[in-house]
Amino acid sequence: MPQEYSGILMMVILFAVMYFMMIRPQKKKDKEIKSMRDNLSIGDEVITIGGIHGKVVKVNDEIITLEMAHAKQRVEFSKWAIGSVAKKGKEKAEIKDAVEETEEPKNEEE
């Protein structure tokens, strides 16, 4: 009787090991990449999966327009073609600073 279940048990253990060593980390990585692509904004410097470096100048649902350094060329790419963000844009920081300045309470008693 125990020998009959040993083969099934080994298959279950093998599948569990494969899941935790291969499938789960890949899903986590895919989720991080999707989040990075969804959070792209104007001013971000990105690198495409083909190795092209550019600055994001326009973001649509599925299309991103990049401006290349040489002669300010603009090229459209699909969002899935963005491989990584080299540097976040300054616009987010400038907007945050502007909002903080307007929210600061002014002391009029002085």
Side-chain angles (χ1 to χ4, degrees):
M1 219 36 159
Q3 203 169 20
E4 295 173 8
Y5 296 115
S6 66
I8 294 172
L9 183 62
M10 288 300 285
M11 286 179 27
V12 168
I13 291 172
L14 181 63
F15 180 75
V17 168
M18 277 184 38
Y19 176 78
F20 285 108
M21 298 296 278
M22 296 172 66
I23 298 170
R24 190 168 176 230
Q26 185 62 39
K27 283 186 179 182
K28 185 177 179 183
K29 184 177 177 184
D30 290 344
K31 190 175 184 180
E32 290 172 0
I33 290 172
K34 184 181 183 320
S35 172
M36 177 268 302
R37 290 176 180 155
D38 289 341
N39 292 323
L40 287 173
S41 63
I42 295 172
D44 291 350
E45 293 182 17
V46 298
I47 304 170
T48 66
I49 56 175
I52 298 172
H53 294 245
K55 188 177 200 178
V56 177
V57 292
K58 187 177 177 185
V59 179
N60 289 335
D61 290 337
E62 294 297 320
I63 305 285
I64 300 227
T65 304
L66 298 182
E67 184 175 87
M68 309 305 151
H70 179 71
K72 302 291 183 190
Q73 298 171 334
R74 292 186 175 194
V75 181
E76 291 183 343
F77 287 92
S78 295
K79 264 191 180 179
W80 62 263
I82 304 301
S84 63
V85 175
K87 189 163 74 171
K88 291 301 277 181
K90 294 179 183 176
E91 287 189 13
K92 284 185 178 180
E94 291 173 0
I95 292 171
K96 185 178 178 183
D97 291 341
V99 169
E100 288 175 357
E101 287 176 6
T102 59
E103 290 178 353
E104 288 180 9
K106 296 181 180 178
N107 191 356
E108 296 180 15
E109 295 177 13
E110 294 177 4

